[in-house]
Amino acid sequence: MRKIAVCPGSFDPITYGHLDIIERASTLFDKVIVLVSSNAHKQPSFSVEERLDMIHAVISRWDNVVVDCWDGLLADYLKERQATAIVKGLRAVTDFEYEFSMALANKKLYGGAETVFLTTSQENMYLSSSLVKEIARFGGDISTFVPPEIHGVIKDRLKK
Ligand code: PNS
């Protein structure tokens, strides 16, 4: 059976931190679906279409990675796609409590998938989409945080 993993997130926008997790997941699973999902606690800066386009532009080097979007419960998507894992990156202990409760809830809602946490690479420990947006808003250099393919979209949208 092909092992399908889902990497869910807001990806508002996708960063090198996300890409590191996606790349490592692509070596562990047969197929990885990068899933743009809604986070009830966040108001995104980019539309779902913009986020899908940005992800498309930066995942083409991996032939077992695809992108999709879902505006419902992650557990329902996993079930529909027969996915066996949710892959998430953990940056620090501060991420843990929230991620832990989501992992437990997802397991209750759909027992067919395990949540797999990958520790973030050291160079991405401080990196977040919010940080990238704040730097872009003030015209700062985002080149070490996001790939060149999406610099233009981010700068155009966020510059004051
Ligand atoms: O990148 P984020 O914002 O930390 O990702 C959080 C996300 C989108 C993965 C999470 O909010 C989610 O799974 N949303 C889908 C709706 C859902 O299933 N919520 C219940 C989670 S237990």
Side-chain angles (χ1 to χ4, degrees), residues 8-11 37-40 42 72-75 88 98-99 102 105-106:
S10 305
F11 302 108
S37 319
S38 36
N39 181 334
K42 291 181 184 168
L73 277 179
L74 177 60
K88 302 222 67 183
Y98 175 60
E99 294 294 347
M102 279 204 292
N106 283 321

Coordinates of all heavy atoms in Angstrom, one line a residue, residues 8-11 37-40 42 72-75 88 98-99 102 105-106, ligand 1:
P8 N -0.3 19.7 6.5 CA -1.3 20.7 6.5 C -0.7 22.0 7.1 O 0.2 22.0 7.9 CB -2.4 20.2 7.5 CG -1.6 19.4 8.5 CD -0.3 18.9 7.8
G9 N -1.3 23.1 6.7 CA -0.9 24.4 7.3 C -1.6 25.6 6.7 O -2.3 25.4 5.7
S10 N -1.3 26.8 7.2 CA -1.9 28.0 6.6 C -1.0 28.4 5.4 O -1.5 29.0 4.4 CB -1.9 29.1 7.6 OG -2.5 28.7 8.8
F11 N 0.3 28.2 5.5 CA 1.2 28.5 4.4 C 1.0 30.0 3.9 O 0.8 30.2 2.7 CB 1.1 27.5 3.3 CG 1.4 26.1 3.7 CD1 0.4 25.2 3.8 CD2 2.7 25.7 4.0 CE1 0.6 23.9 4.2 CE2 2.9 24.4 4.5 CZ 1.9 23.5 4.5
S37 N -5.0 24.7 4.5 CA -6.2 24.5 5.3 C -6.5 25.8 6.1 O -5.6 26.7 6.2 CB -6.0 23.4 6.3 OG -5.3 22.4 5.8
S38 N -7.7 25.9 6.6 CA -8.0 27.2 7.3 C -7.7 26.9 8.8 O -8.1 25.9 9.4 CB -9.4 27.7 7.1 OG -10.3 26.6 6.9
N39 N -7.1 27.9 9.4 CA -6.8 27.9 10.8 C -7.8 28.9 11.5 O -7.7 30.1 11.2 CB -5.4 28.4 11.1 CG -5.0 28.4 12.6 OD1 -5.9 28.5 13.4 ND2 -3.7 28.2 12.8
A40 N -8.7 28.4 12.3 CA -9.7 29.3 12.9 C -9.2 30.5 13.7 O -9.9 31.4 13.9 CB -10.6 28.4 13.8
K42 N -6.5 32.3 12.7 CA -5.7 33.2 11.9 C -6.5 33.8 10.8 O -7.3 33.1 10.2 CB -4.5 32.4 11.3 CG -3.5 32.0 12.3 CD -2.3 31.3 11.6 CE -1.3 30.8 12.5 NZ -0.3 29.8 11.8
G72 N -12.3 22.2 5.4 CA -13.1 21.4 6.4 C -12.1 20.8 7.4 O -11.0 21.3 7.6
L73 N -12.6 19.8 8.1 CA -11.8 19.2 9.1 C -10.7 18.4 8.4 O -10.9 17.7 7.4 CB -12.6 18.2 9.9 CG -13.4 18.8 11.1 CD1 -14.2 17.6 11.7 CD2 -12.5 19.5 12.1
L74 N -9.5 18.5 9.0 CA -8.3 17.8 8.4 C -8.6 16.3 8.5 O -8.3 15.5 7.5 CB -7.1 18.1 9.3 CG -5.8 17.4 8.9 CD1 -5.4 17.7 7.5 CD2 -4.7 17.9 9.9
A75 N -9.3 15.8 9.5 CA -9.5 14.4 9.7 C -10.4 13.9 8.5 O -10.2 12.7 8.1 CB -10.3 14.2 11.0
K88 N 4.1 17.3 10.6 CA 4.2 18.7 11.1 C 5.6 19.0 11.6 O 6.3 18.1 12.1 CB 3.2 19.0 12.2 CG 1.8 18.7 11.8 CD 0.8 19.7 12.2 CE 0.9 21.1 11.6 NZ -0.1 22.0 12.2
Y98 N 0.1 23.1 21.7 CA -1.0 23.3 20.6 C -1.0 22.1 19.7 O -2.0 21.5 19.3 CB -0.7 24.6 19.9 CG -1.6 24.9 18.8 CD1 -3.0 25.0 18.9 CD2 -1.0 25.1 17.5 CE1 -3.8 25.3 17.8 CE2 -1.8 25.4 16.4 CZ -3.2 25.5 16.6 OH -4.0 25.8 15.5
E99 N 0.2 21.7 19.2 CA 0.3 20.6 18.3 C -0.1 19.3 18.9 O -0.7 18.5 18.2 CB 1.8 20.5 17.7 CG 2.3 21.7 16.9 CD 1.5 21.9 15.6 OE1 0.8 20.9 15.2 OE2 1.6 22.9 15.0
M102 N -3.8 19.1 19.0 CA -4.4 18.9 17.6 C -4.1 17.4 17.2 O -5.0 16.8 16.6 CB -3.7 19.8 16.6 CG -4.4 21.2 16.6 SD -4.2 22.0 15.0 CE -2.4 22.3 15.0
A105 N -6.7 15.3 19.0 CA -8.0 15.4 18.4 C -8.2 14.8 17.1 O -9.1 14.1 16.8 CB -8.3 16.9 18.3
N106 N -7.1 14.9 16.2 CA -7.2 14.3 14.9 C -7.2 12.8 15.0 O -7.9 12.1 14.2 CB -6.0 14.8 14.1 CG -6.2 16.2 13.5 OD1 -7.3 16.5 13.1 ND2 -5.2 17.0 13.5
Ligands
PNS1 O1 0.1 26.6 9.8 P1 -0.9 26.5 10.9 O2 -1.8 27.7 10.9 O3 -0.3 26.2 12.2 O4 -1.8 25.2 10.6 C1 -2.9 24.8 11.4 C2 -3.9 23.9 10.6 C3 -4.4 24.7 9.4 C4 -3.2 22.7 10.2 C5 -5.1 23.6 11.6 O5 -5.7 24.7 12.0 C6 -6.1 22.6 10.9 O6 -5.9 21.4 10.9 N1 -7.1 23.2 10.3 C7 -8.2 22.4 9.6 C8 -9.5 22.4 10.5 C9 -9.4 21.3 11.5 O7 -9.3 20.1 11.3 N2 -9.3 21.8 12.8 C10 -9.3 20.9 13.9 C11 -7.8 20.5 14.2 S1 -7.8 19.3 15.5

